[in-house]
Every structure is written in structure tokens, then in C-alpha cells.
Amino acid sequence: MLLTGTGRLAPEGPTPWALLVRDGLIAWIGSLSEAPSDERIDLGSALVTPGLIDSHTHPVFDGDRSEGVAARLAGAPYTDGGILRSVRATRAADDATLERLVETRLRSALSAGTTTVECKSGYGLSLAEELRHLRIIGRVAERMPLRVIRTFLGAHAVPSDFKAAEYAAHVADEMIPAVAAEGAAEFVDVFADVGFFDLAATERIGRAALDAGLGLRLHAEQLARTGAAELGVRLGAASVDHLEQLDASGVAILGGSTTVATLLPAPALILRDRMPPARALLEAGASVALASDANAGTYGAFGSMPLVIGLGATLLGMTVVEALTAATAGGAAALQRPELGSLRPGMAADLVAWDAEHEGAFALHLGAVRPHRIWIAGGEIAL
Amino acid sequence: MLLTGTGRLAPEGPTPWALLVRDGLIAWIGSLSEAPSDERIDLGSALVTPGLIDSHTHPVFDGDRSEGVAARLAGAPYTDGGILRSVRATRAADDATLERLVETRLRSALSAGTTTVECKSGYGLSLAEELRHLRIIGRVAERMPLRVIRTFLGAHAVPSDFKAAEYAAHVADEMIPAVAAEGAAEFVDVFADVGFFDLAATERIGRAALDAGLGLRLHAEQLARTGAAELGVRLGAASVDHLEQLDASGVAILGGSTTVATLLPAPALILRDRMPPARALLEAGASVALASDANAGTYGAFGSMPLVIGLGATLLGMTVVEALTAATAGGAAALQRPELGSLRPGMAADLVAWDAEHEGAFALHLGAVRPHRIWIAGGEIAL
């Protein structure tokens, strides 16, 4: 299959261009005039990009927290009960309800151009519930075309029937081995922040993850500058996510590491928080990803990666190309999937043709840009 | 027709509620238990609000400026040729093309819950072109159910074949009388800012508008603090729009006036500009509206009022109720349509039932909230 176009192949490519797909991979990219003969699909002047990669989402929850968000924005204290409120509602929901909710959320992501999505558990906070949520993600993933990567976030909050250190030990010693034995997740994540898991608890859980052969990612430096970014680097975490409170010393550490800095401007906006230091991270040479953080209480929209790119190019001071790259190749790096997220021979043929002419549209329209055709591994998705 | 619900009637109303519609108006609102008997439509737990009012848009243009936006965000100078670039593309487009573009944009607005929209000309900059654009708005409005209010913005920029004062005189002496004679607009708008129309030119155009029996609105205090807000108040403008550079003295003047302060957070975000002083204006007692400013070069999305409410509640520091009120009753005040934008007996029955449970969803989902039913003047719109 030969895709051809006279418009933008972004973040970078020739114009007019041709892209040969074979066996689910990009086999060749070049100028249209040099294209091999093959079955041609002409995409006209449409902007074409790699499929977007959302490397940080929490799709398994029930209940609606919009009233709590309105109360907080009107001056009520930080939390409406927050994560634990969602845990109660989610534990009470049956499998069919949660499967339907997860499927709706992932369909929304796919229809907005996300072809790879990381999905965390974390509204269960018991071994049985966390495994139930990971299995639900797995069942939905089996019947959907987008690529789904599962992360165990048992350490999302401390459940009310545990003390923090005791729960961290339970996560490390009981839950992680069970999750790994079942193959229910590839990564372990920890909410490493004040009021959640301190550095000692985070390190204990992180080492258990690595011992079990799982990858590690951290919620880090969102509420306070704790040193979680440095801990993530030291443990070889794939990514440290949030980083709103990161300072120059943390920027320098990430700039010299292979741990990806994953930035989440949408919840920072909704929480009226400061924005993470995107420009400083880019200038320090850090690998930067942009993701949605779609979740129950601090950002609700799963089909939102185009908006996240727009927020990256405005609130975070990135160029549009930097923001698009962070939402594609950056997400692939954060998920340790080097075969995804770039337009190069040998990479997966995950592609989106947009109802736009130039990647600047992600900023100009603040996310109101829609795919008109999507391919995953070279197969076209019905929209 | 009696609408009933067990959810939120926002910005304020009883729960569970009933709302009687007669002859296109809200005839009665009260508790469900006291509802008169009538044909009932049960809206369940859906959030119901007044139809949204977008009191500042520029829908008549052709051409795509997303490449210029990307270049600016990557550090290129402020303008890609800006308004005059769009003027060239729009003058070259035939009526059918522009009608199709305007209709697509207004359909996008309506399908996102906007039931009243102000539409400016301003990419013509000659009498013939400006009248053509206003007539196109009028023809599209005739075949669409949403309420359309036309504004003549001949003073959007100075065309290249005029000097500024000379063009201002032409707008005041030739164009406004012709627009008024045809009944082609209700309002006149002027881009009163540095590099566009200075206070003397703005006053000349504004007085011509008032003399011709048209209302006045101004683009004011966006690029610099010029005193355009005070001029608007002095001339009795319905609204002064933008206000990113407004200072405390300007806030005080608007707080003591009936001129509405219309805030446009989306282009301020895309231009990486400072945000207008929303909280100070509210605290000074100003009447505040939120609008999209959807246009060719600094914000492209016409179906974006839910996002604008979300940006009001985050970037502008408003509560969600304040932001929703500004996008409904505030817009009605800015357009001098006191019969629109509120849920009270005697008001127009322009209503939206949302796929959300609480107005906090406009913030939690940053605009990714959709109408599931819309009524205008009591008539349901097919979505």
C-alpha cells in the first residue's frame, strides 16, 4: 500500500510525499516522484502524522466528580475525597459496567487519533480489585484495534484500612508478584508525592517491580518537590510524570538521563497549578512526552491528545513540532516502544490523516482537529 | 411542553425540577412536585443550561493560517501578514464557497450548544466586500435555527491601498451609512488598538455608528493599554472585548458602567498573551461575558464555547458558575438581548441538555462535553 500526499507529513517529511506500507510497517518514505509502484491511496493536502501516543491514562473508574471540581474551583479545599471517592464508586461497579466505561473511553481516544494508550489501574487498591481492573483493560484491549499497554498503579493512594508503610509493603510483597505472575501489567506506577507515598515507600515498591521483571514509572513532583524525579532516574524508571514542581536541579538530572519527562498540562490547568518546566527540560536535553492524564477527578477527557498538543504549544511554551513529537515519539520512549511514534522505515505503520493542512492547526484550533482516516499496523480503522 | 429532570438546572434552579415552555418562552420553572400537567419530556439526571451565547466571532473567511500560527509559536515575529492575508484569500472566494464555510462553522457552533452567535464581517475591507460578507451571514442565518446577530467590522484593519485616517473616514462616512441603509448589521465594531485604529479614528467610526442607529462594540486593550475601554464606556458601547492589557483604572471604569467586559481566553492562550483581569472585573461589579473569538488567525474553533467556559474556570480564575453565566447571561447582555441567556419565566426557551451531570464537567473535561438535546425558542433542534 502506497500512501501519497501533497500536504504536510509531520513532524517532518518531504512534500509531495509517498509512504510505502508493507507487513504493518513503514517500508519506505520519500518524494512522490521516486515512489515505487503499488496500490495508491491519495491523501491530498491532508496533514499526516504518526498515530498519537497517550502514555498516561486512568480509564477504569465509575462515578462522576464534576461537582467536586466545581467546588474546588470555587475555593473549596483541594480534595473532594479525591481518589478514595472514586475507589468506592469503582469497587461497587460490576465488570460489565466497567468494561463498557473503559471501552467508551478508549473509543473516544482512538477516534481522536490516539493509536497507542497506556492504561493504569489504581481505583481498586486491593489485590482482587486491582487485578479485576487490569483484566478488564485486557479484555477491552483484545476487542479494540488500538495498542494498549497496562500499568499496575496499586500505589495510587493509601486505602482507609491501611497505614501508608504497611500498604506499601503489601503492594511490594503481595500485589506486585501476583500481577507479574498473571502477566496483567508491563509497568508499575507509584504516586510518589506528599500525602501519598514517600521516597522510602516508593523505592520499596519500585524495587519490587524491577525484581518482578516489570518496568517502572512514577507520578513525581506534582504536589511538592520531593526528589521523586531523582529516585526515578536512579531506579531506571521509564518515565517520571507530572513534574509541575520540578526545579533546576531536577531538570539537570533528567537532562542527563534516559528517563522520560512526561508532562500533563491538562490536569495542571484544571488544578490551576504551575506548569512543568517544559522549555528548560527540552533545553537540558531531556526526552519529553506529552500525555493526557485522563482520569476520574483532575481531567476527564479521553479523546484529548489533540488538545494536549495545543496546550503544549501554548501553556508549556513548546513549538508545535516539539509538542507533536512529544505526543508521538516522546510517548513511545516513555512506554519503551521504540518501534512506534515516528515516520521512518522499519517503524510501525500507525498513521493519522487529519482534517487539517498543517500541524499548526493543533494550536490554532486548540485540539478541535479530527482524524479523517486512521491506520494501525497498516490496517485502516473504521471511524 | 414540560421539561423535567432530577439533575442540575444550571447556573441555578431547584432539584428535581420542571420547566414549562409555551409559545417559545419559559412560562414557569419550579419543583417537579408543583409542576402543572402538560406533555412531559423527562431529561433524567442530565445537566440542563440556557443555550450558550457566543458574542464574538468572525466566521466569514477563506484560507488556512495554521502554518503561520506554528511559525509564530516557534519564535517568528507576531504576524504572518495576519488579517490582510485572510482578506486576500476571502476576497478571492466566491459566494458559494464562503456560504459553505460560514454554514459549516455555525453548524459546528450549534452542535456544541451555542444557540445565539454574533457574526462579524471584517475580512473584506471594502464596501462591496463587507456588504457581500454581511449578506452571506444573513443568507446562512435564514436557513439555520440558531439566532444570528450581525456586526459590521469594516474597521478590522487598514487595507493596503489606504492610509489609516483616510480609511477610518471612509468607514465612517461611506460604509456605515450603506450598511445601516441595507439593515445588514445591528452593531459596528472597531479594532481599537496600536497598529490598527487609534482613539480618534475609533471615536469617529463609533459616532458614525451611533448616528446611523447601530450599536457599538470595540476590540479594546488587547495589544496595549490605549484607553479604548474608557472610550467604549463614554460612547455607550454594548461591549468592549479582549482587555488582556486592562489595568486597575480600566477595571474601575468598567465596574461602574453598563458596558459589558467580554473576555476571550482562547486567543489569549494561543498568542501566549497575559489573561484579562477576570476576577478583578467581577469584583468591581462589571458585567462579564465569555466568548470564543473564533476567527482566521488567532483561534479557529467555532464549536468551542464549552472549552471557553472551561478556560474561564481555569485560566481566568472564575468559578464554573461565573464562567457559565458569562457564556449565557453575559453574552446576552453584551448583545443587548435581555430575553436570552437565563432560566426565568418570560425568557426565551433556548435550552441545552448535556451529556454531563453537573456544570463542573465544563472544567473537568476542558470542553469535551456535548449537547444531547437542544431547543431554540422551544423548538427542538435535530443534532
Side-chain angles (χ1 to χ4, degrees), chain B residues 177-243:
Chain B
V179 167
E182 184 170 321
E186 270 180 67
F187 290 96
V188 169
D189 193 348
V190 183
F191 194 167
D193 220 319
V194 289
F196 293 87
F197 296 89
D198 64 18
L199 293 184
T202 301
E203 179 156 3
R204 175 154 192 189
I205 297 168
R207 292 203 180 277
L210 300 171
D211 289 349
L214 302 175
L216 181 63
R217 41 206 326 110
L218 298 180
H219 283 63
E221 320 287 1
Q222 180 191 11
L223 307 176
R225 176 76 171 103
T226 61
E230 285 83 349
L231 177 62
V233 169
R234 186 155 56 82
L235 294 176
S239 176
V240 287
D241 299 31
H242 273 295
L243 306 179

Side-chain angles (χ1 to χ4, degrees), chain B:
Chain B
M1 177 178 77
L2 190 73
L3 303 180
T4 65
T6 58
R8 296 279 298 175
L9 195 61
E12 53 180 343
T15 304
W17 57 268
L19 186 155
L20 183 69
V21 175
R22 283 275 158 76
D23 301 327
L25 304 178
I26 297 172
W28 177 89
I29 300 181
S31 296
L32 183 56
S33 59
E34 297 162 11
S37 65
D38 208 293
E39 176 205 351
R40 284 196 183 202
I41 297 175
D42 178 12
L43 297 176
S45 62
L47 168 71
V48 174
T49 72
L52 305 182
I53 298 180
D54 191 350
S55 61
H56 186 135
T57 83
H58 306 248
V60 193
F61 64 87
D62 197 5
D64 182 86
R65 282 168 54 197
S66 48
E67 183 168 4
V69 170
R72 185 167 35 69
L73 291 169
Y78 176 74
T79 177
D80 62 344
I83 293 166
L84 296 182
R85 183 183 173 99
S86 293
V87 168
R88 282 192 294 278
T90 308
R91 286 179 176 176
D94 63 19
D95 284 11
T97 300
L98 291 178
E99 279 195 43
R100 182 179 49 74
L101 288 168
V102 172
E103 181 161 345
T104 299
R105 288 165 185 152
L106 298 196
R107 281 199 188 287
S108 173
L110 176 60
S111 69
T114 293
T115 56
T116 298
V117 60
E118 186 253 20
C119 295
K120 303 179 198 290
S121 66
Y123 293 112
L125 306 190
S126 72
L127 178 57
E129 276 294 307
E130 289 288 319
L131 280 175
R132 182 169 81 104
H133 299 185
L134 291 167
R135 289 171 190 146
I136 284 168
I137 298 167
R139 285 201 296 274
V140 173
E142 271 175 25
R143 54 178 190 260
M144 289 196 65
L146 84 175
R147 304 178 194 265
V148 174
I149 292 164
R150 289 184 292 178
T151 295
F152 167 64
L153 177 57
H156 195 195
V158 179
S160 49
D161 48 344
F162 275 92
K163 290 194 195 307
E166 185 185 49
Y167 183 65
H170 178 61
V171 170
D173 301 344
E174 311 290 336
M175 296 170 85
I176 285 174
V179 167
E182 184 170 321
E186 270 180 67
F187 290 96
V188 169
D189 193 348
V190 183
F191 194 167
D193 220 319
V194 289
F196 293 87
F197 296 89
D198 64 18
L199 293 184
T202 301
E203 179 156 3
R204 175 154 192 189
I205 297 168
R207 292 203 180 277
L210 300 171
D211 289 349
L214 302 175
L216 181 63
R217 41 206 326 110
L218 298 180
H219 283 63
E221 320 287 1
Q222 180 191 11
L223 307 176
R225 176 76 171 103
T226 61
E230 285 83 349
L231 177 62
V233 169
R234 186 155 56 82
L235 294 176
S239 176
V240 287
D241 299 31
H242 273 295
L243 306 179
E244 286 86 340
Q245 313 302 327
L246 198 70
D247 58 14
S249 66
V251 167
I253 295 282
L254 285 170
S257 82
T258 57
T259 295
V260 174
T262 297
L263 310 183
L264 312 166
L269 179 58
I270 291 166
L271 292 165
R272 293 190 190 140
D273 202 350
R274 62 196 289 181
M275 288 291 148
R279 281 245 63 81
L281 285 161
L282 288 164
E283 281 152 23
S287 178
V288 172
L290 278 173
S292 72
D293 192 19
N295 73 83
T298 62
Y299 183 44
F302 282 79
S304 59
M305 284 300 288
L307 175 60
V308 171
I309 295 169
L311 295 178
T314 53
L315 286 175
L316 297 184
M318 304 170 84
T319 70
V320 178
V321 164
E322 286 169 343
L324 175 61
T325 301
T328 51
L335 295 172
Q336 300 185 323
R337 286 289 197 285
E339 74 279 16
L340 303 179
S342 299
L343 300 177
R344 289 201 309 275
M347 309 290 282
D350 295 2
L351 301 161
V352 179
W354 300 90
D355 66 349
E357 297 185 7
H358 189 281
E359 64 271 18
F362 290 112
L364 178 58
H365 298 272
L366 283 178
V369 177
R370 301 293 296 180
H372 75 95
R373 298 180 74 168
I374 299 177
W375 293 263
I376 296 178
E380 185 161 6
I381 308 305
L383 288 181

Side-chain angles (χ1 to χ4, degrees), chain A residues 271-336:
Chain A
L271 292 165
R272 292 189 190 142
D273 202 349
R274 64 195 288 182
M275 288 292 148
R279 281 245 63 81
L281 284 162
L282 288 165
E283 282 152 23
S287 178
V288 172
L290 279 172
S292 72
D293 193 19
N295 73 82
T298 61
Y299 184 44
F302 281 80
S304 59
M305 284 300 288
L307 175 61
V308 171
I309 294 169
L311 296 178
T314 54
L315 287 176
L316 296 185
M318 302 168 85
T319 70
V320 178
V321 164
E322 286 169 344
L324 175 60
T325 302
T328 50
L335 296 172
Q336 300 184 323

